Amino acid sequence: MSLSDDDVLVLIRNKEMTARVSYTIQKSLRRLNVLRNHMTVLTRVCTSLANQSHGPCITVTPSVGMVDEKVNIDVRGLDAKQIVTVVADVEENGMQFESRCVYQADGNGEINNFSNESIDGSFKGIEPMGLFWSLTCLSSPKKSARLVKKNVCTPMNFNIKVYPDNQNKVTLTQEPLTETRVQRLYQKPGVRRIQLTGRFKGAIFIPEGEGPFPGLIDMFGGLVSLIETRAALLASHGYATLALSYLHGEGLPDMLYDADFNYIKEAYEWFIEQDYIDKNRLGAVGLCFGGFMSLALASVLPQIRAVVNINGITITPEENTIMCNSADWLDKEKVFNTEEGVVITDVYDCDNPWPVPAWQHGAKILVIVGEDDKQVHPKWHTFYYESCPSQFKANIKVHRYPGAGHMIEPPYAPHTRAVTPGRKRMRTINFVPEKFHDEDMMAGGWPDTHAHAQEDAWMKVLNFLEENVRSVSQ
């Protein structure tokens, strides 16, 4: 089909118009790109001017988060290379805890806890969570006060303030340059806490959502009645958790070696019968004597699939004996005192030690070892692994942490090299001579290495429980 002259003229005009439109669009896009670049520069200038006009500003994210979650701390609006002191404080159980670190701002007047190193203070170097794990008590009459959250249903409220210059060892009297408030939670919103009021003492933490849930029992050592922090945190990670008190409570014994294993066993059996517990996904977690009790439970209860033993003793003096009727086999003469406190690592030495056979029903075992533990000698964890029958050895994982002490807790909890139990509680440790009842009890460890161990160990605990409790086949 041939085109008329008019048709050809229309096509030519359309092509010219299309070319003009295309050129106009391209020109507009170039102008927009230039404008965008100007806006970016303008935004930076405005931000800089705002910082200069409004002064320093500190931002912590998340401002509300879990205690095992890292936070990002940004300080902006400082002078280039300015020296400042960042101070964190929190009040718990009527005691004031504080930490300090000294930073030098970069050329833009900014500081970040992940990239700037502390040059002085409670810790040195690049330690993103150092302000939390280096907290020490300022107000307690006790020599070695420990920061323990008693009411885990409420947040820990931290104040974080920035002061000019290096004020590491100075009484703070001036106003801070900037400050903010941070909340740290052990119990995630939605987790339920049930107080036990009957024969069994303690509390149960149930995760948010529909059950049934994997079930854990969680126990601490012989110097405390009940600590709920780890149980609340485990529930926040999806495990229904029984925080059990087995000493120092109403109707419970006080002396360590009067602890009733049958009571613990019956409490666990009652717990796993609750409707919200998945009976195919069960485990036990314990620190110190609670670790020993967790191993003991797995040795008699085939339902337990996994055990976490954190610096807990692993032996008894007789074969097939879970608990001894007395502490006579423990040698008091091997307890000694130092300038820092009482050391009990050698008290468990005996002629014929027997490992607690937690492996005999197929349970997987995770052992967390602080190599500077001053209460349970690390050699017993070596003995435990070497004593395990060959067919079960693959079920045991041992993780050792040089420079870490006895109380390896969830991450960023402040390190305590020694604790002050007081005479009343110290006398309940059967094998500690009376002459030491007014002394501190050594735990061991050094702040930075212990903090790093807690962070790594907690991830290993969560991964171990995920693999061997939560994700097991039905």
Side-chain angles (χ1 to χ4, degrees):
M1 182 180 66
S2 60
L3 297 176
S4 66
D5 292 342
D6 291 339
D7 291 335
V8 171
L9 184 60
V10 169
L11 285 174
I12 292 173
R13 289 175 178 174
N14 286 342
K15 287 182 180 181
E16 291 175 349
M17 182 175 296
T18 300
R20 285 197 298 272
V21 170
S22 177
Y23 173 77
T24 302
I25 291 174
Q26 292 176 11
K27 187 176 180 180
S28 298
L29 289 174
R30 286 196 296 270
R31 288 177 175 175
L32 285 172
N33 191 49
V34 171
L35 182 60
R36 182 180 63 184
N37 292 335
H38 283 315
M39 290 298 295
T40 300
V41 172
L42 183 60
T43 299
R44 290 173 180 170
V45 171
C46 290
T47 300
S48 177
L49 290 173
N51 286 339
Q52 293 176 16
S53 62
H54 293 98
C57 177
I58 183 172
T59 304
V60 180
T61 52
S63 59
V64 180
M66 304 302 296
V67 295
D68 60 350
E69 183 179 9
K70 289 184 178 181
V71 297
N72 189 80
I73 302 174
D74 283 305
V75 183
R76 293 175 178 156
L78 300 171
D79 294 333
K81 304 300 182 180
Q82 183 177 353
I83 300 291
V84 296
T85 301
V86 181
V87 179
D89 68 74
V90 63
E91 183 175 337
E92 191 63 40
N93 307 323
M95 297 181 289
Q96 193 76 20
F97 293 82
E98 183 187 273
S99 63
R100 302 185 186 188
C101 62
V102 179
Y103 288 119
Q104 182 176 32
D106 63 18
N108 296 318
E110 298 179 353
I111 291 169
N112 178 266
N113 60 320
F114 282 86
S115 56
N116 291 77
E117 65 174 351
S118 172
I119 58 178
D120 199 4
S122 307
F123 62 92
K124 293 182 179 181
I126 298 177
E127 296 285 355
M129 297 301 291
L131 278 173
F132 296 91
W133 58 250
S134 68
L135 288 158
T136 57
C137 187
L138 301 179
S139 59
S140 173
K142 295 182 179 181
K143 290 180 288 184
S144 303
R146 182 180 173 196
L147 177 57
V148 178
K149 179 67 174 169
K150 289 188 175 180
N151 182 3
V152 297
C153 298
T154 61
M156 300 182 75
N157 297 306
F158 291 86
N159 298 303
I160 302 182
K161 304 175 183 179
V162 181
Y163 293 87
D165 306 319
N166 184 338
Q167 304 203 40
N168 178 36
K169 297 182 179 180
V170 177
T171 301
L172 299 171
T173 57
Q174 61 192 115
E175 290 296 313
L177 298 174
T178 181
E179 62 183 296
T180 191
R181 191 178 180 89
V182 178
Q183 291 190 332
R184 307 278 284 168
L185 309 171
Y186 278 99
Q187 182 174 318
K188 185 179 180 180
V191 171
R192 291 182 292 147
R193 179 186 181 276
I194 302 175
Q195 179 72 47
L196 299 183
T197 58
R199 178 190 171 205
F200 305 122
K201 310 301 180 185
I204 295 173
F205 293 86
I206 304 175
E208 181 181 20
E210 295 293 327
F213 303 100
L216 302 173
I217 185 172
D218 181 58
M219 294 175 285
F220 277 76
L223 284 173
V224 297
S225 175
L226 182 65
I227 295 179
E228 300 179 5
T229 50
R230 192 169 55 220
L233 203 52
L234 287 168
S236 299
H237 283 277
Y239 300 90
T241 307
L242 166 62
L244 184 67
S245 176
Y246 59 93
L247 289 170
H248 312 306
E250 182 182 355
L252 299 175
D254 286 321
M255 302 303 290
L256 178 63
Y257 272 82
D258 288 340
D260 185 353
F261 176 71
N262 286 327
Y263 160 85
I264 295 173
K265 176 175 173 288
E266 291 166 14
Y268 190 79
E269 290 174 326
W270 168 81
F271 169 66
I272 65 178
E273 288 299 321
Q274 305 308 303
D275 292 341
Y276 45 80
I277 299 297
D278 183 343
K279 300 175 182 60
N280 293 308
R281 297 186 292 164
L282 303 173
V285 180
L287 167 68
C288 188
F289 206 67
F292 169 80
M293 289 296 193
S294 296
L295 293 173
L297 279 174
S299 72
V300 299
L301 295 178
Q303 307 98 306
I304 294 180
R305 291 180 176 268
V307 179
V308 177
N309 174 25
I310 306 169
N311 286 325
I313 190 63
T314 60
I315 62 165
T316 62
E318 301 174 26
E319 185 177 8
N320 297 324
T321 300
I322 299 302
M323 284 294 293
C324 302
N325 294 325
S326 73
D328 292 343
W329 65 286
L330 301 170
D331 190 350
K332 289 185 177 183
E333 297 301 318
K334 293 184 177 179
V335 177
F336 61 94
N337 195 27
T338 70
E339 291 183 355
E340 294 181 284
V342 174
V343 177
I344 62 173
T345 48
D346 298 330
V347 75
Y348 297 102
D349 291 352
C350 59
D351 296 330
N352 193 27
W354 285 92
V356 180
W359 50 69
Q360 65 185 0
H361 297 297
K364 303 296 178 62
I365 303 168
L366 175 65
V367 183
I368 302 295
V369 183
E371 290 287 340
D372 193 46
D373 189 343
K374 301 302 183 185
Q375 295 188 24
V376 176
H377 200 292
K379 69 182 180 182
W380 291 118
H381 306 295
T382 302
F383 171 83
Y384 191 70
Y385 179 79
E386 292 177 348
S387 301
C388 178
S390 58
Q391 66 267 34
F392 296 118
K393 265 192 166 61
N395 288 359
I396 302 180
K397 294 182 179 179
V398 181
H399 293 285
R400 299 178 178 275
Y401 296 95
H406 183 67
M407 293 187 296
I408 297 179
E409 299 188 82
Y412 321 128
H415 166 259
T416 305
R417 186 163 170 79
V419 296
T420 307
R423 168 171 283 268
K424 181 179 178 181
R425 193 54 59 86
M426 196 72 146
R427 65 172 291 277
T428 66
I429 307 300
N430 307 59
F431 50 81
V432 174
E434 194 276 338
K435 63 182 178 180
F436 296 143
H437 286 177
D438 292 317
E439 304 294 336
D440 280 4
M441 175 74 82
M442 281 292 293
W446 303 99
D448 53 349
T449 51
H450 190 88
H452 300 159
Q454 289 190 148
E455 184 174 350
D456 186 77
W458 183 242
M459 290 308 301
K460 284 185 168 55
V461 168
L462 293 179
N463 291 337
F464 174 80
L465 293 174
E466 173 68 34
E467 179 182 352
N468 297 292
V469 177
R470 192 206 301 267
S471 297
V472 295
S473 57
Q474 301 298 310

